[in-house]
Amino acid sequence: MRRTGVSAFLRLSLAGLLLTAAMAAPSRAQDDIEQKVNDLLGKMTLEEKVGQLNMVSNGPLLRWDDLSSGRAGAVLNFNNAQDIARAQAAARQSRLKIPLLFGLDILHGFRTQFPLPLGEAAAFNPRLSRLASEWAAREASYIGVQWTFAPMADLSRDSRWGRIVEGFGEDPYLGSVLTAARVEGFRKGGLATATKHFAGYGAPQGGRDYDTTYIPRAEMYDTYLPPFRAAVEAGSESFMAAFNALNGVPSTANPWLQTEVLRRQWGFDGFITSDWAGIKELIGHGVAADGAEAARKAILAGVDMDMMGDLYIRHLPDEVRAGRVPESVVDEAARRVLRTKMRLGLFDRPDADPTHVDSVFPSPEARAAARDVARETLVLLQNRNDVLPIPATARSVAVVGPLADAPQDQFGPHGARGHAQDTVSILEGIRRRAAGAGLQVRYAPGCDLFCRSQDRLPEALEAARASDMVIAVFGEPVDLSGEAASRAHMVLNGHQAEILKALAATGKPVALVIVGGRPLELGKLTDLIPAILMAWYPGSEGGTAVADILFGDVSPSGKLPVSWPRTVGQLPLYYNRLPTGRPTLEHNRFTLKYVDEAITPLYPFGWGLSYTRFTYTDPAILKQRLRAGEVLEVAVTVTNAGARAGQEVVQLYTRDPIASRSRPLRELKAFEKIALAPGEAKRVILRVPVDSLGFHQDDGTYRVEEGAIQVFVGGNSLAEQVGEVSILETIIRPGSGQRASASTLAQ
């Protein structure tokens, strides 16, 4: 079996290299591709053009004659080579034999499961983001998948929203870096990307999935759009329109988003697909009376492909013949789809090999990669009295909690082809590591997965009292996270809190490992539980990665990509908020505050402890006066002042204290993750282009204004100010939604 897996891996790598070469076609033969597209369009009937704009799903509703008659241009939810090969054979029976595009939700792995994107973001390591996406793509492309509905580039400041787990958190700069890395990784591994959800989907009212969003255009440009722009620059082949309405206009019928920003301002020439039945939902939004009007509004706004709505295929030919939709609009939409297929080499690629099966994975190499990624995503939130790592003097440990032995839940949402039997649970990871250390492990789940009762608490307390310390593994079962999993109550569900309090009352040291897709309201547990480790949904090798951290084989290095609230009443919560005319004063009621809770987060953005200690000394701004086109450079010496090796994320923030618009109190502008041995020091230089220190007006005008910029450097968003620089001239770029540059200065 191992020999088969290695052979499969070699074939997979070759397939990935061939597809990567095919993806490079635009730079070598764009003119040739455009000519081929024009020639093909000239042969197509109106119905065949519309067929390319129709996406259908595998399953009971699939009509196979749609594939053989050219009435479908793309398909989704085909996840094995046999079905893909059958569908490809059906498409070859159509008159023009145009190949299908096979898409699937592959967010964080195919068979080998990597940490969920929000957890991956906690690594603050774009190299690992590329690696995880590349492996997911390698495995999926091996069985014939060509396209993933990822990455999700939605910024979210509200952890009530279940889909926060699929993104990168609350910061636009971190999101831009990681979105680009994910696009690059997917492409390198052999998958085209559909960056989603365009746009503003991560800010629904009340944190309720699918609800409307209200975001001023300046805020869209500065905060919510940069990660999507990064996806364009990284080469994302397609985009997916969001379900939500933005400022009263549903994204699927929003020409400002789909045509003005994405195509005209950013120059995107790929295609846009709706989300599942998103065009049909325009009726529910109240902007279309029927399917024909919904199809008309979506295509005119710039949405090229209808995913599982059946509206384009039913109504667009009649809309064109009635003169309500110009045929040129359909031509352009079909052109974008065909152009993408040609760029991907689909017309020349052999069909999927039906002998390819995903059971050759996870390979040893994929497991090693998943473990490497997972270790860097784990965030040590607190560690009073150095409870962790498990001391060498310990002879026994009690593992308590149902999520310790829940391998399926370690995947998180959208597990693609993940199998529970492939996964090392946290309990198994601890047992394996403990065996090598001669440590006895006692396990008691304490309750069922949703902790609906405390009937099993006595056996958990017995295990705790008989052991030297307790590793408690609680959090969110997977059903409480992801799409359609918005939460009004952010506490640990069921009786988890009561069980944790009872464990703490035994007097034994307790370390809490949280499995889940978002920050949770911990309340007084932070006082009772000395050590808390956020594990997110850590994937196939989550158990080994968690054990690596618990036993101190690796020092934790994850940093929070979101602000961790004290209570749900603080949401939405984010570090880069605007200042107020009445900043918080402790003894003044009439300042920014709550009367019943602190205004600050429990743990700030960028927070994460280590088993060692890092010091920052000798900060220096290398040039104090800067002009357009120059770079802000800040140097600082970071020293590992502890006795263990570790990694630190060095973070640089800026603030424009006086501007024509109120500017955030802090903005992350650069970071670098470094590894240091005990006693080792490194001089780190962080660089920020001056042209990225500005902001937008509502009309899209971009400004970097003359004046002072404050600079902060440290290990989280509470970093100390190290000085300020002067911008010597105002930079203006009118109405493009793009970053300013020296070539477009106006004084």
Side-chain angles (χ1 to χ4, degrees):
M1 179 61 70
R2 176 65 55 84
R3 184 172 298 169
T4 300
V6 172
S7 176
F9 174 75
L10 293 174
R11 295 196 302 271
L12 161 101
S13 299
L14 179 59
L17 289 172
L18 291 173
L19 182 54
T20 299
M23 286 179 168
S27 63
R28 298 194 305 266
Q30 183 58 41
D31 291 344
D32 184 50
I33 287 175
E34 293 301 320
Q35 184 60 53
K36 289 180 179 178
V37 170
N38 289 335
D39 291 345
L40 186 55
L41 277 172
K43 300 174 184 176
M44 297 173 73
T45 66
L46 175 60
E47 283 74 14
E48 286 171 329
K49 295 172 188 175
V50 173
Q52 288 300 300
L53 313 183
N54 186 35
M55 190 192 320
V56 297
S57 177
N58 194 11
L61 298 179
L62 177 64
R63 298 184 298 266
W64 283 88
D65 59 344
D66 281 352
L67 309 186
S68 58
S69 63
R71 289 170 53 85
V75 293
L76 72 159
N77 292 331
F78 283 77
N79 59 15
N80 65 76
Q82 295 76 29
D83 286 350
I84 291 173
R86 179 187 174 193
Q88 287 171 323
R92 282 200 308 275
Q93 297 174 30
S94 63
R95 185 176 75 90
L96 295 174
K97 300 177 174 52
I98 299 173
L100 296 166
L101 181 59
F102 289 85
L104 187 66
D105 279 300
I106 303 167
L107 274 72
H108 54 97
F110 184 65
R111 182 71 182 247
T112 307
Q113 298 294 297
F114 286 77
L116 260 293
L118 187 62
E120 179 200 297
F124 273 70
N125 190 335
R127 179 186 65 81
L128 292 183
S129 294
R130 279 188 289 270
L131 179 67
S133 297
E134 181 183 349
W135 267 107
R138 285 182 177 185
E139 293 187 358
S141 62
Y142 174 73
I143 62 98
V145 178
Q146 303 155 346
W147 184 35
T148 175
F149 305 119
M152 192 184 89
D154 294 301
L155 178 145
S156 185
R157 297 164 159 179
D158 192 335
S159 49
R160 292 174 296 182
W161 187 54
R163 299 196 80 169
I164 193 173
V165 71
E166 297 179 37
F168 51 79
E170 71 187 46
D171 184 76
Y173 177 73
L174 178 65
S176 297
V177 171
L178 298 185
T179 297
R182 290 166 182 166
V183 169
E184 292 162 0
F186 281 126
R187 286 169 56 87
K188 185 176 180 181
L191 287 184
T193 56
T195 303
K196 63 184 184 185
H197 307 83
F198 198 64
Y201 184 46
Q205 297 285 290
R208 298 178 295 266
D209 209 357
Y210 317 121
D211 211 335
T212 191
T213 61
Y214 292 95
I215 307 171
R217 285 196 175 179
E219 184 76 353
M220 284 293 293
Y221 280 122
D222 283 340
T223 304
Y224 291 90
L225 290 179
F228 290 97
R229 176 66 187 272
V232 172
E233 294 175 348
S236 186
E237 291 81 5
S238 63
F239 275 68
M240 180 186 291
F243 279 127
N244 61 288
L246 172 66
N247 303 328
V249 181
S251 297
T252 308
N254 195 320
W256 178 74
L257 280 173
Q258 315 302 344
T259 298
E260 176 60 27
V261 172
L262 186 53
R263 291 203 171 97
R264 292 177 184 163
Q265 295 181 9
W266 298 350
F268 175 69
D269 67 350
F271 71 92
I272 301 170
T273 176
S274 77
D275 206 335
W276 186 284
I279 296 174
K280 185 177 291 184
E281 290 184 10
L282 294 178
I283 300 171
H285 278 290
V287 300
D290 52 30
E293 185 176 10
R296 181 169 69 250
K297 286 196 167 184
I299 194 77
L300 292 176
V303 177
D304 302 305
M305 189 173 284
D306 179 11
M307 180 195 290
M308 282 304 291
D310 212 27
L311 297 186
Y312 279 5
I313 200 76
R314 288 168 54 193
H315 297 295
L316 281 186
D318 289 342
E319 291 294 297
V320 170
R321 293 185 180 105
R324 290 184 289 268
V325 173
E327 187 167 359
S328 60
V329 172
V330 173
D331 286 350
E332 282 306 304
R335 184 189 310 279
R336 288 188 280 262
V337 172
L338 294 171
R339 176 191 294 136
T340 302
K341 290 182 176 183
M342 289 188 180
R343 285 177 175 174
L344 296 176
L346 301 190
F347 286 81
D348 304 316
R349 190 187 307 181
D351 286 356
D353 185 341
T355 68
H356 285 194
V357 292
D358 60 67
S359 59
V360 300
F361 305 111
S363 66
E365 298 88 349
R367 285 193 177 278
R371 184 175 182 175
D372 287 345
V373 174
R375 287 191 298 204
E376 292 199 26
T377 68
L378 306 178
V379 183
L380 185 61
L381 298 173
Q382 61 183 46
N383 193 26
R384 291 194 305 273
N385 304 320
D386 293 329
V387 166
L388 290 177
I390 297 170
T393 55
R395 290 293 173 262
S396 60
V397 61
V399 178
V400 178
L403 285 170
D405 193 24
Q408 192 75 37
D409 289 79
Q410 281 182 207
F411 296 169
H414 288 299
R417 292 285 283 183
H419 286 56
Q421 63 265 29
D422 295 338
T423 299
V424 181
S425 71
I426 292 174
L427 175 62
E428 180 61 22
I430 292 173
R431 280 176 169 162
R432 290 181 186 178
R433 180 59 179 79
L439 190 72
Q440 182 180 3
V441 176
R442 299 179 176 92
Y443 175 59
C447 59
D448 66 17
L449 201 57
F450 288 87
C451 234
R452 284 173 277 236
S453 77
Q454 299 184 61
D455 294 348
R456 305 181 71 179
L457 177 58
E459 63 184 281
L461 295 179
E462 182 181 351
R465 294 188 184 106
S467 304
D468 293 327
M469 71 175 296
V470 178
I471 304 297
V473 187
F474 290 90
E476 284 186 312
V478 68
D479 287 349
L480 296 183
S481 184
E483 186 173 358
S486 298
R487 295 185 64 183
H489 302 284
M490 300 292 296
V491 297
L492 290 162
N493 62 284
H495 294 275
Q496 293 183 77
E498 292 94 324
I499 292 173
L500 286 166
K501 290 174 184 177
L503 291 171
T506 65
K508 296 300 174 76
V510 180
L512 171 62
V513 177
I514 300 175
V515 175
R518 48 157 74 91
L520 296 171
E521 189 173 328
L522 299 176
K524 296 190 179 301
L525 288 175
T526 57
D527 298 324
L528 298 174
I529 308 295
I532 302 177
L533 181 73
M534 183 60 181
W536 315 101
Y537 294 113
S540 298
E541 286 293 312
T544 50
V546 169
D548 288 340
I549 297 296
L550 294 177
F551 283 86
D553 300 329
V554 176
S555 184
S557 64
K559 300 282 188 174
L560 286 177
V562 289
S563 301
W564 193 295
R566 299 173 186 273
T567 178
V568 69
Q570 293 178 303
L571 297 173
L573 181 68
Y574 46 99
Y575 84 92
N576 48 355
R577 63 176 177 84
L578 298 180
T580 172
R582 293 193 176 190
T584 304
L585 296 174
E586 183 178 356
H587 301 296
N588 187 338
R589 178 187 182 97
F590 298 98
T591 59
L592 185 68
K593 60 174 58 181
Y594 298 104
V595 297
D596 55 356
E597 183 56 271
I599 194 171
T600 56
L602 180 61
Y603 308 110
F605 175 87
W607 176 266
L609 301 177
S610 173
Y611 293 153
T612 190
R613 182 171 60 88
F614 298 98
T615 62
Y616 289 71
T617 56
D618 302 323
I621 297 174
L622 303 188
K623 187 176 181 180
Q624 301 282 345
R625 296 163 63 82
L626 298 169
R627 296 183 180 276
E630 295 185 327
V631 176
L632 164 64
E633 294 183 298
V634 181
V636 65
T637 298
V638 183
T639 303
N640 182 347
R644 292 175 177 266
Q647 294 187 87
E648 172 70 335
V649 180
V650 186
Q651 303 165 43
L652 184 152
Y653 297 82
T654 65
R655 183 191 178 195
D656 187 346
I658 302 174
S660 58
R661 292 181 72 100
S662 186
R663 303 302 304 135
L665 295 171
R666 302 260 172 119
E667 294 181 276
L668 181 67
K669 291 295 182 181
F671 63 86
E672 182 177 344
K673 193 163 194 176
I674 60 172
L676 296 174
E680 184 182 3
K682 181 177 181 179
R683 190 70 171 167
V684 178
I685 300 179
L686 298 172
R687 297 175 173 87
V688 183
V690 168
D691 298 336
S692 69
L693 294 174
F695 55 91
H696 289 88
Q697 306 286 7
D698 285 334
D699 65 358
T701 300
Y702 184 81
R703 299 174 63 88
V704 180
E705 294 186 340
E706 177 183 357
I709 298 289
Q710 297 170 348
V711 180
F712 310 80
V713 174
N716 58 68
S717 57
L718 302 181
E720 296 287 333
Q721 184 172 345
V722 299
E724 65 179 34
V725 296
S726 295
I727 307 298
L728 299 180
E729 56 195 351
T730 295
I731 307 166
I732 300 175
R733 166 164 258 165
S736 67
Q738 302 180 35
R739 285 184 176 176
S741 67
S743 63
T744 56
L745 295 179
Q747 300 301 318

